[in-house]
Structure formats: structure tokens, C-alpha cells
Amino acid sequence: MAITYNNLYLDIRQQLRRSGVEAATLEARELVCFGTNKSREELQRDGGLYASPELERQVRALVERRMAGEPVAYLIGEWEFYGLPLDISPDVLIPRPDTEVLAEEAIRYCVTLGECRVLDLCAGSGCVGLAVGAKVSQAKVVLGEISDAALKICRQNIRRSGLSGRVVPLRMDALEKPDKTLGEFQCIVSNPPYIPRGDIGGLDGSVRDYEPHLALDGGEDGLDFYRAVSEKWRDCLTTGGRLYFEVGIGQADEVLRIMRAQGFGDIQIVKDTHDIPRVVFGTLCGEI
């Protein structure tokens, strides 16, 4: 039986809601748009028209994969972060709204600096560094990432965001001391792997079975990257520069202590929209 685009969307939304998908409205729209090769505007415009059986089959095949646990961002190959549409693949974490708090705090600081160099360490898709580059016109941003596959996504997103002149991707290992030729930055921002290794198996299947473990595994207690970055990368910061971290639930106080031990002062904790401590940042005071 023929179905209109609008009724197909409503049908998919109801199916996702019944399955407990929180963002059913958003996901239904994205799946129908991708499966029918329509923009959001085109879907709204053509809502009363009938979808061909072939297009309906394509959409429903995508929905079946989603119902089996595959995240929508990987199904459609893109996701939006801080107003930027970005390429996404299973080689990088899917950008989350919580991480926009990290971007917002870094942007708020960088706009006060004028010309500045910013390092997004453990960049993944490059979402945080690209948000800074997009909003701070005098910032020059380096996206640092150890995964070659993730760096490929970074390069795609730099081009997609029109930031090729001010944002560059570089391969770097956040757990190792950086080469001095990297130079100094006024701001380092990082959303590192922070899941304790033993907890990964208990994560939601859409994360555990699809997202890259390299970007999740923060060591035995989840704090390996906070220790390494605070200690080994502090020399990349100018005195008075700031280090911004995203942290997992229950980690903020421990990350604060780690940063304080490495000579950071004026350390602050910022909560996300769910009232969970999500960002810890501090200013490099000088020698420890």
C-alpha cells in the first residue's frame, strides 16, 4: 500500500518511540531524509507526496538496522555538532550534546584572546576544535589525533566546514610527551577516552558494539589521559594559558586534583544541561 513521506516519517517515529528511543523525532527525520535522499526542507515540502516502494524499503531497512542497535549517525554518515554538520564514521565517536559544553567554555575563553593557537587533543571527528575555529575568527586550531582513520574524518570535516585556512590535523599521541617543534598554545581542549576499562563491557550496546574502543578506554580507572595530558602537555601551554577537559560522571573532583598537582590554578568545574559536572578547566600558573 502506498504511503506518503509524512506518514512514513510518522510511522518510523512511532516505531522508534515504542522501542524507547529518546530522540525518536530527530532520528526518524534523519533516517527518512537519508533513505529518500531528501533534505529536511524537501521532506517537509513533499510530505503529502507518495514515496515509491523502493524508497520505502530503503528507509525501513535503515530502521531495522537502527532497531538492532546501530547508531543513526553511523547509518547516515553525518551528525551535527554546535551547528556544524560533520562527517561521521565508526572510526570516531559520535558528537554528543554534553560535549557542546566543552566547546562553549573554550570558545568563551578564546574570544577574549584575539589571535591565539588552540589544540584539540584526542580530536576524534574534530568537532570541538572545529567549533572553536568556526566561532573564533582569529584562532588557529590544531586537531591532534592518534588514529589515522580519525584523522581522515578530521580532514573531511575541515574542508566541509570551510576552515582549511585555519585548522590543521596532525597525528599525535596524547599519552606521550609532545615534540617541542609543535610550539605553544594559549588553549588546549580535550575530550579524551575516560571510560574505565572494566566498564566498557557494560555500556549500552549502541556504544559498546559500534563506537571505537580506542576512543573510550581511559585505562583501569578511566583517568590515564588526564594524568598524561596534565603532566606531559603542560609545556605546550603558555603561562596563563588554559587546559579544558571533558570528564565522565563522578570524575570531576579527581581530575581537578590531578590538574592542581601539575601546577594549574583557578580550576573550575562546569555542569552540563543535566546538572552533571562535565567540564574541568584550569590556568597554567608556571613551574611546579
Side-chain angles (χ1 to χ4, degrees), residues 87-149:
D87 289 359
I88 298 297
S89 83
D91 297 305
V92 299
L93 290 182
I94 299 164
R96 288 166 168 78
D98 293 342
T99 303
E100 294 193 356
V101 181
L102 177 66
E104 180 71 35
E105 291 299 320
I107 290 166
R108 184 177 290 120
Y109 171 60
C110 290
V111 293
T112 69
L113 299 177
E115 291 187 11
C116 60
R117 293 186 77 220
V118 180
L119 172 61
D120 178 2
L121 194 55
C122 305
S125 64
C127 61
V128 176
L130 289 165
V132 174
K135 297 297 183 181
V136 186
S137 61
Q138 291 183 283
K140 293 189 176 179
V141 182
V142 176
L143 306 181
E145 173 58 56
I146 193 171
S147 163
D148 290 332

XYZ file of all heavy atoms in Angstrom, residues 87-149:
450
model
N 30.993 15.052 8.940
C 31.099 13.657 8.531
C 31.423 12.807 9.756
O 32.242 13.194 10.602
C 32.218 13.482 7.499
C 31.871 14.071 6.143
O 30.756 14.596 5.999
O 32.721 14.009 5.234
N 30.793 11.648 9.838
C 30.997 10.734 10.962
C 31.151 9.323 10.412
O 30.488 8.943 9.443
C 29.790 10.775 11.930
C 29.613 12.176 12.527
C 29.950 9.745 13.054
C 30.773 12.657 13.372
N 32.047 8.557 11.014
C 32.211 7.146 10.645
C 32.425 6.342 11.920
O 32.668 6.914 12.990
C 33.418 6.972 9.709
O 34.616 6.899 10.457
N 32.368 5.002 11.828
C 32.621 4.184 13.023
C 34.039 4.304 13.572
O 34.353 3.714 14.606
C 32.343 2.759 12.522
C 31.381 2.931 11.401
C 31.830 4.188 10.719
N 34.898 5.078 12.897
C 36.260 5.304 13.395
C 36.330 6.431 14.413
O 37.388 6.664 15.002
C 37.196 5.629 12.220
C 37.313 4.469 11.241
O 37.653 3.361 11.690
O 37.050 4.670 10.038
N 35.219 7.141 14.611
C 35.207 8.256 15.575
C 33.954 8.171 16.437
O 32.940 7.619 16.021
C 35.249 9.628 14.866
C 36.524 9.766 14.050
C 34.022 9.855 13.994
N 34.043 8.747 17.642
C 32.864 8.846 18.492
C 31.833 9.772 17.851
O 32.181 10.713 17.141
C 33.232 9.407 19.867
C 34.054 8.547 20.819
C 34.244 9.294 22.135
C 33.406 7.202 21.067
N 30.582 9.501 18.120
C 29.513 10.382 17.664
C 29.476 11.602 18.588
O 29.402 11.455 19.808
C 28.163 9.651 17.704
C 28.191 8.430 16.778
C 27.029 10.593 17.311
C 27.064 7.448 17.025
N 29.548 12.813 18.036
C 29.484 14.012 18.892
C 28.174 14.055 19.680
O 27.108 13.760 19.150
C 29.545 15.169 17.884
C 30.170 14.589 16.663
C 29.708 13.164 16.616
N 28.300 14.413 20.956
C 27.138 14.428 21.832
C 26.856 15.831 22.360
O 27.774 16.638 22.500
C 27.359 13.469 22.998
C 27.289 12.002 22.566
C 27.832 11.066 23.621
N 27.505 9.680 23.320
C 28.149 8.930 22.426
N 29.148 9.449 21.735
N 27.800 7.672 22.220
N 25.601 16.097 22.691
C 25.259 17.424 23.212
C 26.066 17.810 24.442
O 26.393 18.996 24.621
C 23.768 17.290 23.547
C 23.265 16.216 22.635
C 24.403 15.250 22.511
N 26.406 16.835 25.299
C 27.189 17.146 26.501
C 28.515 17.808 26.142
O 29.017 18.672 26.875
C 27.464 15.873 27.307
C 26.203 15.283 27.916
O 25.196 16.010 28.012
O 26.221 14.093 28.276
N 29.103 17.380 25.017
C 30.406 17.899 24.618
C 30.311 19.335 24.127
O 31.316 20.056 24.084
C 31.024 16.982 23.546
O 31.114 15.651 24.082
C 32.423 17.425 23.151
N 29.116 19.795 23.776
C 28.961 21.191 23.393
C 29.272 22.127 24.564
O 29.653 23.278 24.355
C 27.559 21.443 22.845
C 27.307 20.715 21.520
C 26.063 21.182 20.798
O 25.328 22.034 21.355
O 25.827 20.698 19.673
N 29.151 21.627 25.793
C 29.530 22.422 26.969
C 31.034 22.683 26.942
O 31.497 23.800 27.234
C 29.125 21.703 28.273
C 29.511 22.541 29.488
C 27.636 21.401 28.285
N 31.813 21.684 26.588
C 33.266 21.828 26.466
C 33.606 22.865 25.396
O 34.425 23.763 25.613
C 33.889 20.476 26.117
C 35.402 20.447 25.873
C 36.159 20.784 27.148
C 35.823 19.072 25.344
N 32.967 22.740 24.223
C 33.208 23.696 23.146
C 32.819 25.109 23.567
O 33.562 26.075 23.321
C 32.426 23.276 21.894
N 31.673 25.236 24.214
C 31.176 26.549 24.639
C 32.152 27.229 25.589
O 32.431 28.434 25.461
C 29.812 26.395 25.310
C 29.184 27.680 25.791
C 28.710 28.569 24.654
O 28.244 28.046 23.622
O 28.827 29.798 24.802
N 32.667 26.485 26.560
C 33.598 27.068 27.527
C 34.904 27.491 26.857
O 35.451 28.557 27.157
C 33.876 26.067 28.653
C 32.686 25.815 29.555
C 32.211 27.070 30.276
O 33.056 27.873 30.727
O 30.985 27.259 30.392
N 35.417 26.660 25.957
C 36.658 27.002 25.260
C 36.457 28.221 24.365
O 37.315 29.114 24.300
C 37.146 25.812 24.438
N 35.327 28.283 23.690
C 35.028 29.430 22.826
C 34.939 30.708 23.651
O 35.479 31.759 23.270
C 33.718 29.181 22.043
C 33.930 28.091 20.993
C 33.217 30.469 21.395
C 32.643 27.540 20.401
N 34.260 30.628 24.789
C 34.102 31.805 25.652
C 35.464 32.374 26.057
O 35.639 33.605 26.135
C 33.286 31.424 26.893
C 32.998 32.606 27.809
C 32.118 32.227 28.987
N 30.756 31.938 28.567
C 30.131 30.788 28.744
N 30.769 29.785 29.354
N 28.897 30.616 28.342
N 36.411 31.494 26.305
C 37.763 31.942 26.665
C 38.521 32.475 25.449
O 39.105 33.568 25.490
C 38.532 30.787 27.297
C 39.997 31.056 27.524
C 40.413 32.108 28.334
C 40.975 30.251 26.935
C 41.767 32.350 28.557
C 42.331 30.487 27.149
C 42.714 31.544 27.959
O 44.056 31.787 28.172
N 38.476 31.744 24.347
C 39.303 32.091 23.192
C 38.894 33.408 22.541
O 39.742 34.113 21.983
C 39.274 30.955 22.162
S 40.149 29.475 22.716
N 37.620 33.751 22.620
C 37.198 35.025 22.015
C 37.804 36.223 22.754
O 37.878 37.325 22.198
C 35.656 35.168 21.971
C 35.038 34.158 21.034
C 35.049 35.081 23.364
N 38.274 36.013 23.979
C 38.887 37.106 24.732
C 40.358 37.291 24.386
O 40.974 38.278 24.809
C 38.772 36.862 26.253
O 39.618 35.749 26.626
C 37.338 36.569 26.658
N 40.926 36.347 23.631
C 42.370 36.347 23.409
C 42.822 37.102 22.169
O 43.981 37.479 22.060
C 42.868 34.892 23.297
C 42.666 33.996 24.516
C 43.135 32.577 24.202
C 43.414 34.546 25.727
N 41.922 37.288 21.199
C 42.374 37.786 19.910
C 43.060 36.652 19.157
O 42.572 35.519 19.135
N 44.214 36.937 18.559
C 44.943 35.869 17.863
C 45.419 34.843 18.878
O 45.989 35.178 19.913
C 46.136 36.446 17.105
C 45.749 37.294 15.910
C 46.943 37.702 15.084
O 48.043 37.153 15.318
O 46.795 38.568 14.208
N 45.169 33.570 18.572
C 45.571 32.513 19.507
C 45.734 31.203 18.770
O 45.193 31.000 17.678
C 44.554 32.364 20.640
S 42.876 31.947 20.077
N 46.495 30.296 19.397
C 46.640 28.933 18.895
C 45.904 28.006 19.863
O 46.067 28.102 21.092
C 48.094 28.498 18.787
C 48.908 29.247 17.743
C 50.299 28.633 17.635
N 50.280 27.374 16.869
C 50.993 26.295 17.179
N 51.737 26.259 18.277
N 50.936 25.213 16.418
N 45.130 27.099 19.308
C 44.310 26.180 20.105
C 44.612 24.760 19.655
O 44.675 24.475 18.447
C 42.811 26.482 19.917
C 41.959 25.517 20.743
C 42.500 27.928 20.281
N 44.768 23.865 20.620
C 44.978 22.446 20.331
C 43.790 21.640 20.832
O 43.440 21.714 22.011
C 46.258 21.943 21.011
C 46.521 20.429 20.949
C 46.654 19.935 19.511
C 47.768 20.065 21.763
N 43.159 20.902 19.925
C 42.111 19.947 20.294
C 42.774 18.584 20.314
O 43.054 17.989 19.266
C 40.969 20.008 19.266
C 39.849 19.003 19.565
O 39.934 18.291 20.587
O 38.900 18.929 18.757
N 43.053 18.084 21.505
C 43.805 16.837 21.684
C 42.834 15.676 21.900
O 41.888 15.796 22.671
C 44.744 16.996 22.887
C 45.852 15.976 23.091
C 46.738 15.836 21.864
C 46.685 16.359 24.315
N 43.085 14.559 21.227
C 42.125 13.444 21.147
C 40.901 13.932 20.368
O 39.753 13.813 20.821
C 41.718 12.920 22.515
S 43.095 12.422 23.577
N 41.149 14.474 19.188
C 40.139 15.245 18.462
C 39.001 14.408 17.909
O 37.900 14.926 17.704
C 40.803 16.022 17.321
N 39.221 13.126 17.610
C 38.150 12.314 17.026
C 37.696 12.874 15.696
O 38.473 13.007 14.754
N 36.438 13.268 15.609
C 35.900 13.865 14.384
C 36.376 15.294 14.185
O 36.157 15.878 13.125
C 34.370 13.853 14.427
O 33.905 14.682 15.487
N 37.008 15.869 15.217
C 37.432 17.267 15.168
C 36.359 18.229 15.619
O 36.526 19.450 15.502
N 35.274 17.717 16.182
C 34.094 18.548 16.436
C 34.377 19.734 17.352
O 33.925 20.859 17.067
C 32.945 17.700 16.978
S 33.250 16.864 18.547
N 35.121 19.532 18.431
C 35.349 20.625 19.375
C 36.258 21.688 18.764
O 35.957 22.881 18.793
C 35.939 20.091 20.698
C 36.270 21.249 21.639
C 34.966 19.136 21.373
N 37.378 21.255 18.200
C 38.296 22.206 17.580
C 37.666 22.962 16.428
O 37.915 24.157 16.240
N 36.836 22.287 15.653
C 36.159 22.943 14.541
C 35.138 23.964 15.035
O 34.966 25.024 14.431
C 35.493 21.908 13.642
C 36.469 21.065 12.811
C 35.773 19.838 12.248
C 37.074 21.894 11.685
N 34.456 23.646 16.125
C 33.522 24.614 16.704
C 34.264 25.865 17.152
O 33.802 26.993 16.921
C 32.772 23.985 17.878
N 35.425 25.679 17.780
C 36.234 26.822 18.191
C 36.666 27.626 16.959
O 36.546 28.858 16.915
C 37.460 26.376 19.007
C 38.367 27.565 19.302
C 37.031 25.707 20.312
N 37.166 26.916 15.941
C 37.610 27.599 14.726
C 36.497 28.356 14.035
O 36.702 29.452 13.493
N 35.287 27.780 14.064
C 34.153 28.414 13.397
C 33.691 29.665 14.124
O 33.219 30.620 13.494
C 32.996 27.419 13.273
N 33.814 29.677 15.442
C 33.286 30.780 16.245
C 34.334 31.823 16.638
O 33.975 32.934 17.024
C 32.630 30.227 17.517
C 31.420 29.336 17.262
C 30.296 30.097 16.595
C 29.063 29.220 16.403
N 27.969 29.943 15.729
N 35.614 31.458 16.567
C 36.683 32.384 16.964
C 37.524 32.671 15.724
O 38.407 31.889 15.366
C 37.542 31.798 18.101
C 38.552 32.843 18.593
C 36.668 31.330 19.260
N 37.259 33.784 15.083
C 37.834 34.049 13.757
C 39.347 34.230 13.773
O 39.999 34.033 12.746
C 37.182 35.292 13.145
O 37.408 36.435 13.957
N 39.925 34.570 14.928
C 41.373 34.780 15.000
C 42.117 33.572 15.568
O 43.330 33.642 15.797
C 41.679 36.025 15.845
C 41.255 37.331 15.178
C 41.635 38.535 16.013
O 40.989 38.849 17.018
N 42.697 39.227 15.628
N 41.403 32.493 15.757
C 42.043 31.283 16.294
C 42.615 30.420 15.179
O 41.986 30.236 14.129
C 41.027 30.480 17.107
N 43.799 29.894 15.418
C 44.374 28.863 14.567
C 44.372 27.569 15.378
O 44.877 27.536 16.501
C 45.780 29.244 14.116
C 45.771 30.449 13.182
C 47.129 30.699 12.569
C 47.039 31.844 11.562
N 48.367 32.145 10.954
N 43.780 26.525 14.808
C 43.473 25.313 15.568
C 44.214 24.114 14.998
O 44.272 23.929 13.767
C 41.954 25.034 15.556
C 41.629 23.796 16.390
C 41.175 26.243 16.068
N 44.780 23.306 15.885
C 45.384 22.026 15.514
C 44.500 20.912 16.064
O 44.149 20.917 17.250
C 46.817 21.897 16.072
C 47.386 20.511 15.759
C 47.720 22.978 15.489
N 44.126 19.968 15.212
C 43.374 18.784 15.638
C 44.369 17.649 15.813
O 44.939 17.147 14.843
C 42.315 18.412 14.593
C 41.335 19.512 14.182
C 40.341 18.974 13.146
C 40.585 20.072 15.388
N 44.613 17.254 17.064
C 45.583 16.205 17.363
C 44.891 14.879 17.616
O 44.007 14.775 18.461
N 45.313 13.851 16.893
C 44.623 12.557 16.973
C 45.604 11.449 16.602
O 46.398 11.590 15.673
C 43.418 12.576 16.017
C 42.683 11.281 15.849
C 42.146 10.714 17.148
O 41.392 11.426 17.837
O 42.486 9.551 17.448
N 45.566 10.323 17.330
C 46.492 9.219 17.070
C 46.004 8.289 15.964
O 46.790 7.641 15.279
C 46.762 8.408 18.360
C 47.951 7.463 18.161
C 45.503 7.666 18.810
C 48.409 6.786 19.437
N 44.698 8.221 15.752
C 44.122 7.299 14.775
C 44.172 7.893 13.369
O 43.621 8.976 13.123
C 42.668 6.984 15.152
O 41.965 6.434 14.061
N 44.815 7.179 12.441
C 44.869 7.653 11.057
C 43.476 7.721 10.440
O 43.179 8.623 9.644
C 45.765 6.736 10.219
C 47.239 6.878 10.587
O 47.641 7.961 11.042
O 47.991 5.892 10.429
N 42.615 6.760 10.790
C 41.246 6.759 10.258
C 40.472 7.964 10.764
O 39.696 8.585 10.027
C 40.530 5.468 10.637
